[in-house]
Amino acid sequence: MKLKTSIAALGLAGLTAVATACSGADTGPAGGTARDVTQLELTPTTAAAAGAVDSVDWLLEDEPDSLDLDTQGGSAGRTVLTNVCERLYQLQPDMTVRPWLVDKATRPDPKTLVLTVRDGVTFHDGSAMTVDDVLFSLRRHADPDMSEADEFENVTSMKKTGAHEITVRFKEPDALFTKALAGDAGLVYQQKRVQEQGKDFGTPGQADACSGPYRLASWKSGDSVTLERYDGYWGDKPLTRKVVFRWAEDSAMVNALRTGAADGAYTDSVGTAAALDGKKGIDLHFGPSTATLDLIPTERGGLADPDIRKALSLSLDRAGIAKSGYGGLAQPWATPVGSGAWGYAKSVFTAAQKELTGAPASPTPADIARAKKLVQNAEHKPDGPIVIGTDSTQGRLVIANGVRAALQQIGLKAQIKTVPSAEYGEFYGDKSARADIDVLVADWYISKSDPVGFYDNGVSDDSNNWVGFHSTAYDAKVEQAKRTLDDAERAELVVDIQRRFTDAAVWIPVAQTPTALALSDKLTGPPASMAYLYHPWAASLGAKKG
């Protein structure tokens, strides 16, 4: 899967309209009092479970399109499948990455990765997982017709080099490849079963081909997906015997959780979480995510001048937007990638974030004065109103109005262009669809816990660099970071890249949005972070009391 993507394109369900994968609608607070954004604490985990549970009813925002993530990735399918299928590496709740079905990994040289596959793992039919299954899976993911093919663009060969060993060779050192193996590029399938099922693999009525803590017991299209604990699992056995998934949107999800008809959900929608906040019988947990709300300047040119972009950033009331548009469940943020991307060197990235001054939570009179001076001295002032593109969902409308107010405050004209939610996703992938807007109110996240995965949006020839930012030094730094295997060295490079990106205001960050877990107050255990999309979260789910 692509390292970076708009939520409209990959769809953390509930944050935006459907594009190519999972989906939903972004809403603001549905009643209740907005939280103080300064008091929202993000924790990657919930308390450990102490007791067994026979069955749990879990809600998704929609039915999975497929359980073959190579052909139809989506957050609904991923939320289910991550408990069934395992990956070579595993994303942890704190967003770090560790070997999983890989027992050992070595790098004889910077362009070579040797993976020793874990012994003693069985698929759900009881047969042993072999190195041939792993190699088959990697080659399937790398197929140009599959969604993960881009993760293998730097790979020159993948070969079996021992009874439990695979050697991967690269054109250049690749710092992000093992992180890809903690995502869908690292899923391990049983070769025999995938080949037997052919085009039916991943569809209702088919058995899974995996080795995880749960097996797929049934998928009744239009009704439910049921997982049952796999008693032959090589790792720690789950406390919950069965997990039944059904799907509901917006108010139906809120009602099901409030009445106890459902035991839990990763809501992702800030509006759904706000509607559940403080309700009896429900615990809300908020965890780190890579997701952010951003303003993306377009090719049209109203924000072509970097001084105009900087002025807008300085004058934007992020705290007000977070409170009125997102119930206080979004946090004003100075970079366009969320803290869930800090899968290493967290202290370095935390300190670097605090040093950025171009995106204040609430602008001071000095910020406004500085912004007005930037506008006054700008080389290219916009000829007409700056057009702000959005749809009619509450959160994005609040941002759009905040942008208009900020522009007017610094002496610039602005207007809002609102399109139906069904058309909103076209802004991201179709240049002609955004031809009449100067800036897009956007949602964005990356699928790996490494900020360098975001910052290639600013590379000169990148398809997401709409405003045409060009810096040879920036491009070289990003390429260097992607090839730097040492975490500390890469973090230093990323901080420099981040400074260059924000100094040029290539994108204008607004806020980071957390992962939201709504859980019956009798249950605990699963991660609260974005890791739930790639981590077997149900395996740690259980009762609070023994």
Short mmCIF file of all heavy atoms in Angstrom, two decimals, residues 156-221:
data_model
loop_
_atom_site.label_atom_id
_atom_site.label_comp_id
_atom_site.label_asym_id
_atom_site.label_seq_id
_atom_site.Cartn_x
_atom_site.Cartn_y
_atom_site.Cartn_z
N THR A 156 15.27 -5.92 -5.78
CA THR A 156 15.79 -6.54 -7.01
C THR A 156 15.56 -8.04 -7.03
O THR A 156 15.41 -8.64 -8.09
CB THR A 156 17.29 -6.25 -7.18
OG1 THR A 156 18.01 -6.75 -6.04
CG2 THR A 156 17.54 -4.76 -7.32
N SER A 157 15.52 -8.68 -5.84
CA SER A 157 15.28 -10.13 -5.81
C SER A 157 14.82 -10.55 -4.42
O SER A 157 15.15 -9.92 -3.41
CB SER A 157 16.54 -10.91 -6.19
OG SER A 157 17.55 -10.75 -5.21
N MET A 158 14.05 -11.66 -4.39
CA MET A 158 13.63 -12.32 -3.15
C MET A 158 13.78 -13.81 -3.39
O MET A 158 13.12 -14.37 -4.27
CB MET A 158 12.17 -11.97 -2.80
CG MET A 158 11.95 -10.50 -2.52
SD MET A 158 10.25 -10.10 -1.99
CE MET A 158 9.36 -10.35 -3.54
N LYS A 159 14.66 -14.45 -2.62
CA LYS A 159 14.96 -15.85 -2.87
C LYS A 159 15.01 -16.65 -1.58
O LYS A 159 15.39 -16.13 -0.51
CB LYS A 159 16.32 -15.99 -3.59
CG LYS A 159 16.37 -15.38 -4.98
CD LYS A 159 17.74 -15.54 -5.61
CE LYS A 159 17.79 -14.93 -7.00
NZ LYS A 159 19.15 -15.06 -7.60
N LYS A 160 14.65 -17.91 -1.67
CA LYS A 160 14.82 -18.85 -0.57
C LYS A 160 16.29 -19.23 -0.51
O LYS A 160 16.84 -19.74 -1.48
CB LYS A 160 13.94 -20.08 -0.80
CG LYS A 160 14.09 -21.18 0.23
CD LYS A 160 13.16 -22.34 -0.12
CE LYS A 160 13.35 -23.51 0.84
NZ LYS A 160 12.44 -24.65 0.50
N THR A 161 16.91 -18.98 0.63
CA THR A 161 18.34 -19.25 0.76
C THR A 161 18.65 -20.21 1.91
O THR A 161 19.79 -20.35 2.32
CB THR A 161 19.12 -17.93 0.95
OG1 THR A 161 18.52 -17.17 2.01
CG2 THR A 161 19.12 -17.11 -0.33
N GLY A 162 17.62 -20.85 2.42
CA GLY A 162 17.78 -21.83 3.49
C GLY A 162 16.44 -22.43 3.84
O GLY A 162 15.40 -21.98 3.36
N ALA A 163 16.45 -23.46 4.68
CA ALA A 163 15.20 -24.13 5.03
C ALA A 163 14.20 -23.20 5.69
O ALA A 163 12.98 -23.39 5.58
CB ALA A 163 15.52 -25.31 5.97
N HIS A 164 14.71 -22.19 6.39
CA HIS A 164 13.84 -21.21 7.04
C HIS A 164 14.25 -19.79 6.70
O HIS A 164 13.97 -18.87 7.46
CB HIS A 164 13.88 -21.40 8.56
CG HIS A 164 13.43 -22.74 9.02
ND1 HIS A 164 12.11 -23.10 9.11
CD2 HIS A 164 14.14 -23.84 9.40
CE1 HIS A 164 12.00 -24.34 9.53
NE2 HIS A 164 13.22 -24.82 9.72
N GLU A 165 14.87 -19.59 5.54
CA GLU A 165 15.52 -18.30 5.26
C GLU A 165 15.15 -17.75 3.89
O GLU A 165 15.10 -18.48 2.91
CB GLU A 165 17.04 -18.49 5.35
CG GLU A 165 17.84 -17.21 5.21
CD GLU A 165 19.33 -17.50 5.30
OE1 GLU A 165 19.85 -17.59 6.43
OE2 GLU A 165 19.97 -17.65 4.23
N ILE A 166 14.89 -16.45 3.87
CA ILE A 166 14.65 -15.71 2.63
C ILE A 166 15.61 -14.52 2.61
O ILE A 166 15.76 -13.81 3.60
CB ILE A 166 13.20 -15.21 2.53
CG1 ILE A 166 12.25 -16.39 2.33
CG2 ILE A 166 13.03 -14.21 1.40
CD1 ILE A 166 10.79 -16.02 2.38
N THR A 167 16.23 -14.31 1.45
CA THR A 167 17.14 -13.18 1.29
C THR A 167 16.52 -12.19 0.30
O THR A 167 16.15 -12.55 -0.80
CB THR A 167 18.52 -13.62 0.79
OG1 THR A 167 19.11 -14.49 1.78
CG2 THR A 167 19.44 -12.42 0.58
N VAL A 168 16.42 -10.94 0.75
CA VAL A 168 15.87 -9.86 -0.07
C VAL A 168 17.01 -8.91 -0.41
O VAL A 168 17.75 -8.48 0.48
CB VAL A 168 14.75 -9.10 0.68
CG1 VAL A 168 14.13 -8.03 -0.22
CG2 VAL A 168 13.68 -10.07 1.18
N ARG A 169 17.13 -8.58 -1.68
CA ARG A 169 18.17 -7.64 -2.11
C ARG A 169 17.51 -6.40 -2.72
O ARG A 169 16.46 -6.49 -3.36
CB ARG A 169 19.13 -8.30 -3.10
CG ARG A 169 19.84 -9.51 -2.52
CD ARG A 169 20.97 -10.01 -3.40
NE ARG A 169 21.50 -11.28 -2.92
CZ ARG A 169 22.37 -11.41 -1.93
NH1 ARG A 169 22.83 -10.32 -1.33
NH2 ARG A 169 22.80 -12.59 -1.55
N PHE A 170 18.17 -5.25 -2.51
CA PHE A 170 17.60 -3.96 -2.90
C PHE A 170 18.53 -3.22 -3.85
O PHE A 170 19.75 -3.42 -3.83
CB PHE A 170 17.38 -3.09 -1.66
CG PHE A 170 16.52 -3.72 -0.60
CD1 PHE A 170 17.10 -4.48 0.42
CD2 PHE A 170 15.15 -3.56 -0.62
CE1 PHE A 170 16.31 -5.06 1.40
CE2 PHE A 170 14.36 -4.15 0.36
CZ PHE A 170 14.94 -4.89 1.37
N LYS A 171 17.94 -2.33 -4.65
CA LYS A 171 18.74 -1.43 -5.48
C LYS A 171 19.54 -0.47 -4.61
O LYS A 171 20.71 -0.19 -4.88
CB LYS A 171 17.83 -0.63 -6.41
CG LYS A 171 16.97 -1.42 -7.35
CD LYS A 171 15.98 -0.50 -8.06
CE LYS A 171 14.96 -1.29 -8.83
NZ LYS A 171 13.90 -0.42 -9.42
N GLU A 172 18.87 0.04 -3.58
CA GLU A 172 19.46 0.97 -2.63
C GLU A 172 19.01 0.57 -1.23
O GLU A 172 17.98 -0.08 -1.07
CB GLU A 172 19.02 2.41 -2.92
CG GLU A 172 19.40 2.95 -4.29
CD GLU A 172 20.90 3.17 -4.43
OE1 GLU A 172 21.59 3.23 -3.39
OE2 GLU A 172 21.36 3.30 -5.57
N PRO A 173 19.76 0.95 -0.19
CA PRO A 173 19.28 0.67 1.17
C PRO A 173 17.86 1.20 1.35
O PRO A 173 17.52 2.28 0.85
CB PRO A 173 20.28 1.42 2.05
CG PRO A 173 21.52 1.52 1.22
CD PRO A 173 21.06 1.66 -0.20
N ASP A 174 17.04 0.45 2.05
CA ASP A 174 15.62 0.79 2.18
C ASP A 174 15.22 0.77 3.66
O ASP A 174 15.02 -0.28 4.25
CB ASP A 174 14.78 -0.21 1.39
CG ASP A 174 13.35 0.25 1.19
OD1 ASP A 174 12.83 0.96 2.07
OD2 ASP A 174 12.74 -0.09 0.16
N ALA A 175 15.10 1.96 4.25
CA ALA A 175 14.80 2.06 5.68
C ALA A 175 13.36 1.73 6.00
O ALA A 175 13.01 1.46 7.15
CB ALA A 175 15.11 3.48 6.16
N LEU A 176 12.48 1.73 4.98
CA LEU A 176 11.06 1.57 5.24
C LEU A 176 10.53 0.18 4.91
O LEU A 176 9.35 -0.11 5.15
CB LEU A 176 10.28 2.62 4.43
CG LEU A 176 10.60 4.07 4.78
CD1 LEU A 176 9.85 5.02 3.87
CD2 LEU A 176 10.28 4.37 6.24
N PHE A 177 11.37 -0.69 4.38
CA PHE A 177 10.86 -1.98 3.93
C PHE A 177 10.34 -2.83 5.09
O PHE A 177 9.28 -3.45 4.98
CB PHE A 177 11.94 -2.74 3.16
CG PHE A 177 11.43 -4.01 2.52
CD1 PHE A 177 10.60 -3.96 1.42
CD2 PHE A 177 11.79 -5.25 3.03
CE1 PHE A 177 10.11 -5.12 0.82
CE2 PHE A 177 11.31 -6.42 2.44
CZ PHE A 177 10.47 -6.35 1.34
N THR A 178 11.07 -2.89 6.19
CA THR A 178 10.59 -3.70 7.32
C THR A 178 9.31 -3.11 7.90
O THR A 178 8.46 -3.84 8.43
CB THR A 178 11.65 -3.85 8.41
OG1 THR A 178 12.08 -2.55 8.84
CG2 THR A 178 12.84 -4.64 7.90
N LYS A 179 9.13 -1.79 7.80
CA LYS A 179 7.87 -1.18 8.23
C LYS A 179 6.74 -1.60 7.29
O LYS A 179 5.60 -1.79 7.73
CB LYS A 179 8.01 0.33 8.29
CG LYS A 179 9.01 0.80 9.35
CD LYS A 179 9.14 2.31 9.36
CE LYS A 179 10.24 2.74 10.32
NZ LYS A 179 9.93 2.46 11.72
N ALA A 180 7.05 -1.75 6.01
CA ALA A 180 6.05 -2.26 5.07
C ALA A 180 5.65 -3.69 5.41
O ALA A 180 4.50 -4.09 5.24
CB ALA A 180 6.59 -2.19 3.64
N LEU A 181 6.62 -4.47 5.92
CA LEU A 181 6.34 -5.86 6.29
C LEU A 181 5.51 -5.95 7.57
O LEU A 181 5.00 -7.02 7.91
CB LEU A 181 7.64 -6.64 6.46
CG LEU A 181 8.50 -6.79 5.20
CD1 LEU A 181 9.69 -7.71 5.48
CD2 LEU A 181 7.69 -7.33 4.02
N ALA A 182 5.36 -4.84 8.29
CA ALA A 182 4.43 -4.78 9.41
C ALA A 182 3.04 -4.36 8.95
O ALA A 182 2.09 -4.36 9.73
CB ALA A 182 4.93 -3.81 10.48
N GLY A 183 2.93 -4.01 7.67
CA GLY A 183 1.66 -3.67 7.06
C GLY A 183 1.21 -4.79 6.14
O GLY A 183 1.60 -5.95 6.28
N ASP A 184 0.42 -4.43 5.15
CA ASP A 184 -0.17 -5.47 4.30
C ASP A 184 0.86 -6.15 3.39
O ASP A 184 0.61 -7.25 2.89
CB ASP A 184 -1.30 -4.87 3.46
CG ASP A 184 -2.44 -4.38 4.35
OD1 ASP A 184 -2.50 -4.81 5.51
OD2 ASP A 184 -3.25 -3.57 3.88
N ALA A 185 2.01 -5.53 3.17
CA ALA A 185 3.05 -6.16 2.37
C ALA A 185 3.69 -7.33 3.09
O ALA A 185 4.42 -8.12 2.47
CB ALA A 185 4.13 -5.14 2.00
N GLY A 186 3.44 -7.47 4.39
CA GLY A 186 4.02 -8.55 5.16
C GLY A 186 3.06 -9.65 5.52
O GLY A 186 3.42 -10.59 6.25
N LEU A 187 1.81 -9.60 5.04
CA LEU A 187 0.84 -10.66 5.33
C LEU A 187 1.33 -11.99 4.77
O LEU A 187 1.78 -12.08 3.63
CB LEU A 187 -0.51 -10.31 4.70
CG LEU A 187 -1.33 -9.23 5.41
CD1 LEU A 187 -2.45 -8.74 4.50
CD2 LEU A 187 -1.89 -9.75 6.72
N VAL A 188 1.20 -13.04 5.56
CA VAL A 188 1.62 -14.37 5.13
C VAL A 188 0.39 -15.25 4.93
O VAL A 188 -0.42 -15.44 5.84
CB VAL A 188 2.57 -15.03 6.15
CG1 VAL A 188 2.88 -16.47 5.76
CG2 VAL A 188 3.87 -14.22 6.25
N TYR A 189 0.26 -15.78 3.71
CA TYR A 189 -0.86 -16.63 3.34
C TYR A 189 -0.38 -18.06 3.08
O TYR A 189 0.77 -18.28 2.68
CB TYR A 189 -1.52 -16.12 2.06
CG TYR A 189 -2.18 -14.77 2.17
CD1 TYR A 189 -1.96 -13.80 1.19
CD2 TYR A 189 -3.04 -14.47 3.22
CE1 TYR A 189 -2.58 -12.56 1.27
CE2 TYR A 189 -3.67 -13.23 3.30
CZ TYR A 189 -3.43 -12.28 2.32
OH TYR A 189 -4.05 -11.07 2.39
N GLN A 190 -1.28 -18.99 3.25
CA GLN A 190 -1.02 -20.39 2.92
C GLN A 190 -1.14 -20.54 1.40
O GLN A 190 -2.21 -20.38 0.83
CB GLN A 190 -2.03 -21.28 3.63
CG GLN A 190 -1.80 -22.77 3.44
CD GLN A 190 -2.84 -23.58 4.19
OE1 GLN A 190 -3.87 -23.05 4.62
NE2 GLN A 190 -2.60 -24.87 4.34
N GLN A 191 -0.04 -20.85 0.77
CA GLN A 191 0.00 -20.90 -0.69
C GLN A 191 -1.06 -21.84 -1.26
O GLN A 191 -1.79 -21.47 -2.20
CB GLN A 191 1.40 -21.34 -1.16
CG GLN A 191 1.53 -21.44 -2.67
CD GLN A 191 2.94 -21.82 -3.11
OE1 GLN A 191 3.84 -21.99 -2.28
NE2 GLN A 191 3.16 -21.94 -4.40
N LYS A 192 -1.15 -23.03 -0.71
CA LYS A 192 -2.06 -24.04 -1.25
C LYS A 192 -3.51 -23.54 -1.25
O LYS A 192 -4.22 -23.66 -2.25
CB LYS A 192 -1.95 -25.33 -0.43
CG LYS A 192 -2.91 -26.44 -0.85
CD LYS A 192 -2.76 -27.64 0.07
CE LYS A 192 -3.79 -28.72 -0.30
NZ LYS A 192 -3.70 -29.90 0.61
N ARG A 193 -3.94 -22.95 -0.14
CA ARG A 193 -5.34 -22.52 -0.05
C ARG A 193 -5.62 -21.34 -0.96
O ARG A 193 -6.69 -21.27 -1.60
CB ARG A 193 -5.68 -22.16 1.40
CG ARG A 193 -7.11 -21.72 1.60
CD ARG A 193 -7.57 -21.91 3.02
NE ARG A 193 -7.86 -23.32 3.30
CZ ARG A 193 -8.23 -23.78 4.49
NH1 ARG A 193 -8.34 -22.95 5.52
NH2 ARG A 193 -8.48 -25.05 4.67
N VAL A 194 -4.71 -20.39 -1.06
CA VAL A 194 -4.92 -19.25 -1.95
C VAL A 194 -5.05 -19.72 -3.39
O VAL A 194 -5.94 -19.26 -4.14
CB VAL A 194 -3.76 -18.24 -1.81
CG1 VAL A 194 -3.88 -17.13 -2.86
CG2 VAL A 194 -3.74 -17.63 -0.42
N GLN A 195 -4.20 -20.63 -3.78
CA GLN A 195 -4.24 -21.12 -5.16
C GLN A 195 -5.50 -21.94 -5.42
O GLN A 195 -6.08 -21.88 -6.52
CB GLN A 195 -2.98 -21.92 -5.47
CG GLN A 195 -1.73 -21.05 -5.51
CD GLN A 195 -0.45 -21.85 -5.71
OE1 GLN A 195 -0.36 -23.03 -5.36
NE2 GLN A 195 0.56 -21.21 -6.27
N GLU A 196 -5.94 -22.71 -4.45
CA GLU A 196 -7.17 -23.49 -4.61
C GLU A 196 -8.39 -22.59 -4.78
O GLU A 196 -9.28 -22.87 -5.58
CB GLU A 196 -7.38 -24.41 -3.41
CG GLU A 196 -6.45 -25.61 -3.37
CD GLU A 196 -6.61 -26.41 -2.08
OE1 GLU A 196 -7.27 -25.94 -1.14
OE2 GLU A 196 -6.04 -27.53 -2.02
N GLN A 197 -8.44 -21.51 -4.03
CA GLN A 197 -9.61 -20.63 -4.06
C GLN A 197 -9.59 -19.66 -5.24
O GLN A 197 -10.64 -19.17 -5.67
CB GLN A 197 -9.72 -19.86 -2.75
CG GLN A 197 -10.02 -20.75 -1.56
CD GLN A 197 -10.10 -19.99 -0.25
OE1 GLN A 197 -10.03 -18.76 -0.23
NE2 GLN A 197 -10.25 -20.71 0.85
N GLY A 198 -8.42 -19.38 -5.76
CA GLY A 198 -8.32 -18.53 -6.94
C GLY A 198 -8.97 -17.18 -6.74
O GLY A 198 -8.74 -16.49 -5.73
N LYS A 199 -9.82 -16.78 -7.68
CA LYS A 199 -10.47 -15.47 -7.62
C LYS A 199 -11.48 -15.36 -6.48
O LYS A 199 -11.89 -14.25 -6.13
CB LYS A 199 -11.15 -15.16 -8.95
CG LYS A 199 -10.17 -14.95 -10.09
CD LYS A 199 -10.90 -14.56 -11.38
CE LYS A 199 -9.90 -14.32 -12.51
NZ LYS A 199 -10.59 -13.94 -13.78
N ASP A 200 -11.87 -16.48 -5.89
CA ASP A 200 -12.81 -16.45 -4.77
C ASP A 200 -12.13 -16.18 -3.43
O ASP A 200 -12.81 -16.00 -2.42
CB ASP A 200 -13.57 -17.78 -4.68
CG ASP A 200 -14.51 -17.99 -5.85
OD1 ASP A 200 -15.03 -16.98 -6.38
OD2 ASP A 200 -14.73 -19.16 -6.24
N PHE A 201 -10.80 -16.16 -3.42
CA PHE A 201 -10.08 -15.93 -2.18
C PHE A 201 -10.48 -14.59 -1.58
O PHE A 201 -10.52 -13.57 -2.27
CB PHE A 201 -8.57 -15.96 -2.43
CG PHE A 201 -7.74 -15.68 -1.21
CD1 PHE A 201 -7.78 -16.52 -0.12
CD2 PHE A 201 -6.92 -14.55 -1.16
CE1 PHE A 201 -7.01 -16.26 1.01
CE2 PHE A 201 -6.15 -14.28 -0.04
CZ PHE A 201 -6.20 -15.14 1.04
N GLY A 202 -10.80 -14.60 -0.29
CA GLY A 202 -11.17 -13.37 0.40
C GLY A 202 -12.63 -12.99 0.30
O GLY A 202 -13.03 -11.94 0.80
N THR A 203 -13.46 -13.86 -0.30
CA THR A 203 -14.88 -13.56 -0.45
C THR A 203 -15.70 -14.36 0.54
O THR A 203 -15.23 -15.35 1.12
CB THR A 203 -15.35 -13.88 -1.88
OG1 THR A 203 -15.18 -15.29 -2.13
CG2 THR A 203 -14.54 -13.09 -2.91
N PRO A 204 -16.96 -13.97 0.78
CA PRO A 204 -17.82 -14.71 1.71
C PRO A 204 -17.93 -16.18 1.34
O PRO A 204 -18.01 -16.54 0.16
CB PRO A 204 -19.18 -14.00 1.57
CG PRO A 204 -18.84 -12.62 1.15
CD PRO A 204 -17.64 -12.76 0.26
N GLY A 205 -17.91 -17.02 2.36
CA GLY A 205 -18.04 -18.46 2.15
C GLY A 205 -16.72 -19.20 2.00
O GLY A 205 -16.70 -20.44 1.99
N GLN A 206 -15.61 -18.45 1.93
CA GLN A 206 -14.30 -19.07 1.77
C GLN A 206 -13.56 -19.10 3.11
O GLN A 206 -13.64 -18.16 3.90
CB GLN A 206 -13.46 -18.30 0.75
CG GLN A 206 -14.08 -18.22 -0.64
CD GLN A 206 -14.24 -19.59 -1.28
OE1 GLN A 206 -13.35 -20.44 -1.18
NE2 GLN A 206 -15.38 -19.80 -1.92
N ALA A 207 -12.83 -20.20 3.34
CA ALA A 207 -12.01 -20.30 4.55
C ALA A 207 -10.80 -19.37 4.41
O ALA A 207 -10.37 -19.04 3.31
CB ALA A 207 -11.55 -21.74 4.75
N ASP A 208 -10.25 -18.94 5.54
CA ASP A 208 -9.06 -18.10 5.49
C ASP A 208 -7.83 -18.95 5.21
O ASP A 208 -7.88 -20.19 5.24
CB ASP A 208 -8.90 -17.31 6.78
CG ASP A 208 -8.51 -18.17 7.98
OD1 ASP A 208 -7.33 -18.60 8.04
OD2 ASP A 208 -9.37 -18.42 8.85
N ALA A 209 -6.71 -18.29 4.97
CA ALA A 209 -5.46 -18.98 4.65
C ALA A 209 -4.36 -18.46 5.56
O ALA A 209 -3.26 -18.15 5.11
CB ALA A 209 -5.10 -18.76 3.19
N CYS A 210 -4.64 -18.39 6.87
CA CYS A 210 -3.76 -17.65 7.75
C CYS A 210 -3.41 -18.42 9.03
O CYS A 210 -3.87 -19.54 9.23
CB CYS A 210 -4.41 -16.32 8.10
SG CYS A 210 -4.65 -15.25 6.67
N SER A 211 -2.63 -17.76 9.90
CA SER A 211 -2.06 -18.43 11.07
C SER A 211 -2.32 -17.68 12.37
O SER A 211 -1.72 -18.01 13.39
CB SER A 211 -0.54 -18.58 10.89
OG SER A 211 0.08 -17.30 10.81
N GLY A 212 -3.19 -16.66 12.35
CA GLY A 212 -3.34 -15.78 13.50
C GLY A 212 -4.11 -16.37 14.66
O GLY A 212 -4.55 -17.52 14.63
N PRO A 213 -4.31 -15.58 15.72
CA PRO A 213 -4.96 -16.08 16.94
C PRO A 213 -6.44 -16.41 16.76
O PRO A 213 -7.02 -17.11 17.58
CB PRO A 213 -4.77 -14.93 17.94
CG PRO A 213 -4.52 -13.72 17.10
CD PRO A 213 -3.81 -14.21 15.88
N TYR A 214 -7.06 -15.90 15.68
CA TYR A 214 -8.45 -16.22 15.37
C TYR A 214 -8.55 -16.78 13.96
O TYR A 214 -7.77 -16.43 13.08
CB TYR A 214 -9.34 -14.97 15.47
CG TYR A 214 -9.61 -14.54 16.88
CD1 TYR A 214 -8.75 -13.64 17.53
CD2 TYR A 214 -10.70 -15.02 17.59
CE1 TYR A 214 -8.98 -13.23 18.83
CE2 TYR A 214 -10.94 -14.62 18.90
CZ TYR A 214 -10.08 -13.74 19.51
OH TYR A 214 -10.31 -13.35 20.81
N ARG A 215 -9.53 -17.64 13.76
CA ARG A 215 -9.83 -18.15 12.43
C ARG A 215 -11.17 -17.60 11.98
O ARG A 215 -12.02 -17.26 12.81
CB ARG A 215 -9.85 -19.69 12.41
CG ARG A 215 -11.00 -20.30 13.17
CD ARG A 215 -11.05 -21.82 13.02
NE ARG A 215 -12.28 -22.37 13.59
CZ ARG A 215 -13.43 -22.47 12.94
NH1 ARG A 215 -13.51 -22.06 11.68
NH2 ARG A 215 -14.51 -22.96 13.52
N LEU A 216 -11.34 -17.50 10.67
CA LEU A 216 -12.60 -17.03 10.11
C LEU A 216 -13.62 -18.17 10.19
O LEU A 216 -13.51 -19.16 9.47
CB LEU A 216 -12.41 -16.58 8.67
CG LEU A 216 -13.65 -16.09 7.92
CD1 LEU A 216 -14.24 -14.86 8.61
CD2 LEU A 216 -13.31 -15.80 6.47
N ALA A 217 -14.61 -18.02 11.08
CA ALA A 217 -15.63 -19.06 11.24
C ALA A 217 -16.73 -18.93 10.20
O ALA A 217 -17.21 -19.94 9.66
CB ALA A 217 -16.23 -19.00 12.64
N SER A 218 -17.15 -17.70 9.90
CA SER A 218 -18.19 -17.49 8.89
C SER A 218 -18.22 -16.04 8.45
O SER A 218 -17.82 -15.14 9.19
CB SER A 218 -19.57 -17.88 9.44
OG SER A 218 -19.98 -16.99 10.45
N TRP A 219 -18.67 -15.82 7.23
CA TRP A 219 -18.96 -14.50 6.71
C TRP A 219 -20.29 -14.59 5.99
O TRP A 219 -20.38 -15.14 4.89
CB TRP A 219 -17.85 -14.03 5.78
CG TRP A 219 -18.09 -12.65 5.20
CD1 TRP A 219 -19.15 -11.80 5.43
CD2 TRP A 219 -17.23 -11.94 4.29
NE1 TRP A 219 -19.01 -10.63 4.73
CE2 TRP A 219 -17.84 -10.68 4.02
CE3 TRP A 219 -16.01 -12.25 3.68
CZ2 TRP A 219 -17.26 -9.75 3.16
CZ3 TRP A 219 -15.44 -11.32 2.84
CH2 TRP A 219 -16.05 -10.08 2.58
N LYS A 220 -21.33 -14.09 6.63
CA LYS A 220 -22.66 -14.07 6.04
C LYS A 220 -22.86 -12.69 5.42
O LYS A 220 -23.08 -11.71 6.12
CB LYS A 220 -23.72 -14.34 7.11
CG LYS A 220 -23.57 -15.70 7.78
CD LYS A 220 -24.58 -15.87 8.92
CE LYS A 220 -24.37 -17.20 9.64
NZ LYS A 220 -25.29 -17.34 10.81
N SER A 221 -22.77 -12.64 4.11
CA SER A 221 -22.82 -11.37 3.42
C SER A 221 -24.09 -10.60 3.78
O SER A 221 -25.20 -11.14 3.77
CB SER A 221 -22.77 -11.60 1.91
OG SER A 221 -22.75 -10.38 1.21
#
